[in-house]
Each structure stands twice: as C-alpha cells, then as structure tokens.
C-alpha cells in the first residue's frame, strides 16, 4: 500500500555539500539523466539559488514548483516503486542485522545493506533512465532544467535522510517500522532466534531519530552539544 505524501520545506544549499555515498549516487543518477550539459548546469544553478519550492514525496512520485525569473513551473518526476515481493525482501534485509533500522533513522545507509538488498533483487538507488520527468514548461527534453533542479534538491533530502529514498521507492518510514514490528511479533510467536534484537531495534528507533534531529538542529545553530544527547 502506498504511503502518505510528505512535503519537505524549501531547502537551502547544504553547508557541507552532499556528504554521503548514497547522496552522491543520487546526484550521479541526475547527471546521467540530463541530456544536455547546459540544462544540467542551469538546473544546478536553480537548485543553489533555492528556486525550488517544497518537495512533495510519495511512493513513485516527486512533485514541486520551480521558479525561474517571473515564472513558476510545476515539475513531477516518476520513480519506479518496489513490488510487494521486493518490499518484503527489503524489510528482511533491514531486519537481518541488529542496529540497521536505528542507523537508518539516524540518517545512515550502510553499504552492506544496499549490497544485500541488491543480492535479494532489490534496487534502492535509481539510475538516470528511471527518472521520468514532466514539467509545465515548453522544453522538449526530459528532464528539463526545472526537473533537474528539483532532482538535485531531492538528492539533498536523500543525503540527510536515506528513508526519503525508501519512501519514493514505496516503503515509507511508518510502513517500514510497522512491517518490522509485525515481522518481529510473528517471529517471536514462532520462537525464532535473534528476534529480541530486532524488537529492541524497533523500540529504540524513534528515540534514535529524535536524537539525530536534535543533534542536527544544534549543529546548524552553532550551539554547544549537551553531554546527555549521546
């Protein structure tokens, strides 16, 4: 079942740039998708100037308004969603090792998780040809510079929170946690080994997310970090 559409507020350029390997992989996909270098440069410039409005993320869909001069255009990008079997396989991969869900909610996407997902037939990171864009402008190339601007900023979201990538692929945060909880509950009743670790992960996940959010907010404000944050 598709999760809710979540709109992220207007973004500023990350002060430290794209930091993560998965964020850089998303940006490479955007560069692969661009047909014309001029459009790629123009799109990146629009993104840096914060001309992209709030980005709305749903299963298989990214939606935003992009300004250019006195005009504003509506951009939508379709991204393939995972099948039911692929979503179940991804949940199994996340549940396979203690600490993975807590790491995800703290903003970290491990290489091993993605590699194991690929071995299970699940492709998380998109490639350029999967990013199908439409825009209300009159450009004939897909993606146009407005779509590229939105995709660049989506990469900033993915860099900060890899679960944005999960959501656009069709497995949002709440659905992932619910599936992990259901899996752990069912496995507990059948006496499977290692379920206690998974249950603990699900219980502490929300706390890990809140701590990460507090840490980011304090760092951006330049405030001193309290010892009890860790």
């Amino acid at each position: 079942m598709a999760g809710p559409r979540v709109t992220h507020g207007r973004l500023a350029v990350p002060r430290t740039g794209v930091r993560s390997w998965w964020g850089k992989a998303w940006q490479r996909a955007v560069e692969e998708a661009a047909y014309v270098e001029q459009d790629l440069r123009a799109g990146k410039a629009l993104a840096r100037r914060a001309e992209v409005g709030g980005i709305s993320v749903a299963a298989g869909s990214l939606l935003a308004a992009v300004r250019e001069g006195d005009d504003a255009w509506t951009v939508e990008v379709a991204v393939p969603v995972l099948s039911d079997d692929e979503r179940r396989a991804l949940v199994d991969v996340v549940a396979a090792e203690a600490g993975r869900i807590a790491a995800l909610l703290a903003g970290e996407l491990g290489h091993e998780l993605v590699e194991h997902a690929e071995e299970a037939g699940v492709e998380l990171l998109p490639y350029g040809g999967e990013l199908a864009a439409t825009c209300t402008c009159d450009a004939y190339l897909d993606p146009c510079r407005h779509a590229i601007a939105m995709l660049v900023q989506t990469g900033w979201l993915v860099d900060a929170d890899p679960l944005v990538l999960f959501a656009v692929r069709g497995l949002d945060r709440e659905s992932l946690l619910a599936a992990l909880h259901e899996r752990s509950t069912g496995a507990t009743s059948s006496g499977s080994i290692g379920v206690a670790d998974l249950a603990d992960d699900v219980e502490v996940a929300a706390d890990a997310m809140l701590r990460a959010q507090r840490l980011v907010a304090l760092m951006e404000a330049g405030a001193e970090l309290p010892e009890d944050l860790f």
Side-chain angles (χ1 to χ4, degrees), residues 98-205:
R100 279 184 172 173
I101 184 59
L104 280 170
L105 289 171
E108 294 295 328
L109 179 60
H111 272 287
E112 284 191 356
L113 190 158
V114 174
E115 290 171 356
H116 292 171
E118 289 176 352
E119 291 169 2
V122 180
E123 295 288 343
L124 260 179
L125 290 163
Y127 56 87
E130 289 186 306
L131 305 174
T134 59
C135 181
T136 55
C137 76
D138 58 3
Y140 65 92
L141 290 178
D142 165 17
C144 65
R145 59 190 179 277
H146 310 113
I148 291 171
M150 184 185 71
L151 286 168
V152 167
Q153 287 209 2
T154 301
W156 301 349
L157 288 174
V158 169
D159 180 57
D161 181 4
L163 285 176
V164 172
L165 175 60
F166 279 61
V168 78
R169 285 298 205 183
L171 185 63
D172 65 276
R173 183 189 309 262
E174 289 73 21
S175 297
L176 175 60
L177 289 174
L180 287 167
H181 179 73
E182 181 179 356
R183 187 183 187 282
S184 65
T185 301
T188 300
S189 63
S190 64
S192 295
I193 297 174
V195 170
D197 289 336
L198 173 58
D200 288 344
D201 262 1
V202 175
E203 288 297 323
V204 304

Side-chain angles (χ1 to χ4, degrees), residues 6-179:
V6 176
T7 300
H8 301 263
R10 187 183 298 275
L11 300 173
V13 181
R15 288 187 300 177
T16 57
V18 174
R19 62 178 179 85
S20 66
W21 71 267
W22 60 90
K24 292 175 182 176
W26 179 280
Q27 300 292 7
R28 283 195 298 272
V30 176
E31 293 172 358
E32 291 171 1
Y35 283 96
V36 180
E37 181 66 26
Q38 182 179 354
D39 283 346
L40 180 60
R41 290 196 302 269
K44 288 182 175 180
L46 289 170
R48 289 192 297 268
R49 293 202 304 268
E51 301 286 12
V52 181
I55 299 175
S56 180
V57 178
S61 172
L62 300 165
L63 182 67
V66 180
R67 296 181 308 190
E68 187 176 22
D70 295 330
D71 297 315
W73 313 101
T74 300
V75 177
E76 184 167 13
V77 174
V79 183
V81 298
L82 303 178
S83 68
D84 290 343
D85 287 344
E86 287 170 334
R87 283 194 294 271
R88 283 190 289 269
L90 182 55
V91 171
D92 288 344
V93 168
V94 174
E97 291 188 15
R100 279 184 172 173
I101 184 59
L104 280 170
L105 289 171
E108 294 295 328
L109 179 60
H111 272 287
E112 284 191 356
L113 190 158
V114 174
E115 290 171 356
H116 292 171
E118 289 176 352
E119 291 169 2
V122 180
E123 295 288 343
L124 260 179
L125 290 163
Y127 56 87
E130 289 186 306
L131 305 174
T134 59
C135 181
T136 55
C137 76
D138 58 3
Y140 65 92
L141 290 178
D142 165 17
C144 65
R145 59 190 179 277
H146 310 113
I148 291 171
M150 184 185 71
L151 286 168
V152 167
Q153 287 209 2
T154 301
W156 301 349
L157 288 174
V158 169
D159 180 57
D161 181 4
L163 285 176
V164 172
L165 175 60
F166 279 61
V168 78
R169 285 298 205 183
L171 185 63
D172 65 276
R173 183 189 309 262
E174 289 73 21
S175 297
L176 175 60
L177 289 174

Side-chain angles (χ1 to χ4, degrees), residues 199-217:
D200 288 344
D201 262 1
V202 175
E203 288 297 323
V204 304
D207 181 62
M209 176 183 64
L210 291 174
R211 287 175 181 270
Q213 289 174 339
R214 287 179 59 199
L215 177 60
V216 170

